[in-house]
């Protein structure tokens, strides 16, 4: 069985380091991008199984990137994360096609659970 591949798009090095470490320990392959533009390029070339996407990014913001990522990857679920969220941001993310929404700070177990649930869902096709 092939290793499931994740893409983390976040400009905070500490967040990327912690998520990469947790996901790799759980058996996932992990790619990291520090901007939406770099993440979109990685998503197009790598075709990740799931994406963890921050809302506040340099350049294109995460909610704008969400639409581009959904178009580029078709079925890859996106878990949106943010330290600057509120109910409006969460609603916009979910209406934009995000699978789930996590407010920072979150436990790594919450992120692992969200990705596991996202990968276990039936894929529309």
């Amino acid at each position: 069985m092939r290793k499931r591949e994740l893409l983390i798009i976040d400009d905070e090095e500490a967040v990327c380091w912690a998520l990469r470490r947790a996901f790799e320990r759980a058996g996932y392959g992990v790619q990291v991008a520090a901007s939406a533009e770099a993440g979109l390029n990685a998503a197009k070339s790598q075709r990740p199984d799931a994406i963890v996407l921050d809302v506040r990014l340099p350049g294109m913001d995460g909610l704008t990137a969400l639409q581009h990522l959904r178009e580029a990857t078709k079925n890859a679920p996106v878990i949106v994360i943010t330290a600057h969220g509120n109910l409006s941001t969460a609603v916009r993310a979910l209406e934009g096609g995000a699978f789930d929404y996590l407010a920072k700070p979150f436990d790594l177990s919450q992120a692992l659970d969200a990705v596991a649930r996202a990968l276990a869902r039936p894929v529309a096709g």
Side-chain angles (χ1 to χ4, degrees):
M1 187 170 156
R2 82 172 181 85
K3 187 183 281 193
R4 304 302 289 269
E5 295 293 328
L6 306 181
L7 173 60
I8 299 167
I9 305 172
D10 196 313
D11 62 329
E12 293 181 58
E13 283 186 44
V15 171
C16 291
W17 180 85
L19 288 172
R20 177 192 289 266
R21 187 169 175 203
F23 287 129
E24 286 178 343
R25 284 184 172 175
Y28 296 104
V30 180
Q31 294 292 321
V32 174
S35 71
E37 293 83 356
L40 189 56
N41 287 335
K44 288 177 181 176
S45 64
Q46 302 295 323
R47 296 290 184 180
D49 295 300
I51 300 166
V52 177
L53 173 66
D54 191 18
V55 171
R56 286 218 176 156
L57 295 165
M60 183 189 308
D61 70 87
L63 293 179
T64 302
L66 175 60
Q67 296 305 320
H68 295 290
L69 288 165
R70 300 286 301 143
E71 291 168 13
T73 63
K74 303 294 183 230
N75 292 321
V78 179
I79 292 98
V80 172
I81 59 174
T82 187
H84 306 281
N86 55 35
L87 183 58
S88 172
T89 304
V91 169
R92 287 176 50 212
L94 295 172
E95 285 179 346
F99 175 81
D100 204 351
Y101 177 91
L102 299 175
K104 294 177 187 175
F106 50 81
D107 291 333
L108 290 174
S109 62
Q110 290 176 283
L112 287 164
D113 178 64
V115 167
R117 285 185 293 106
L119 293 174
R121 92 218 188 295
V123 176

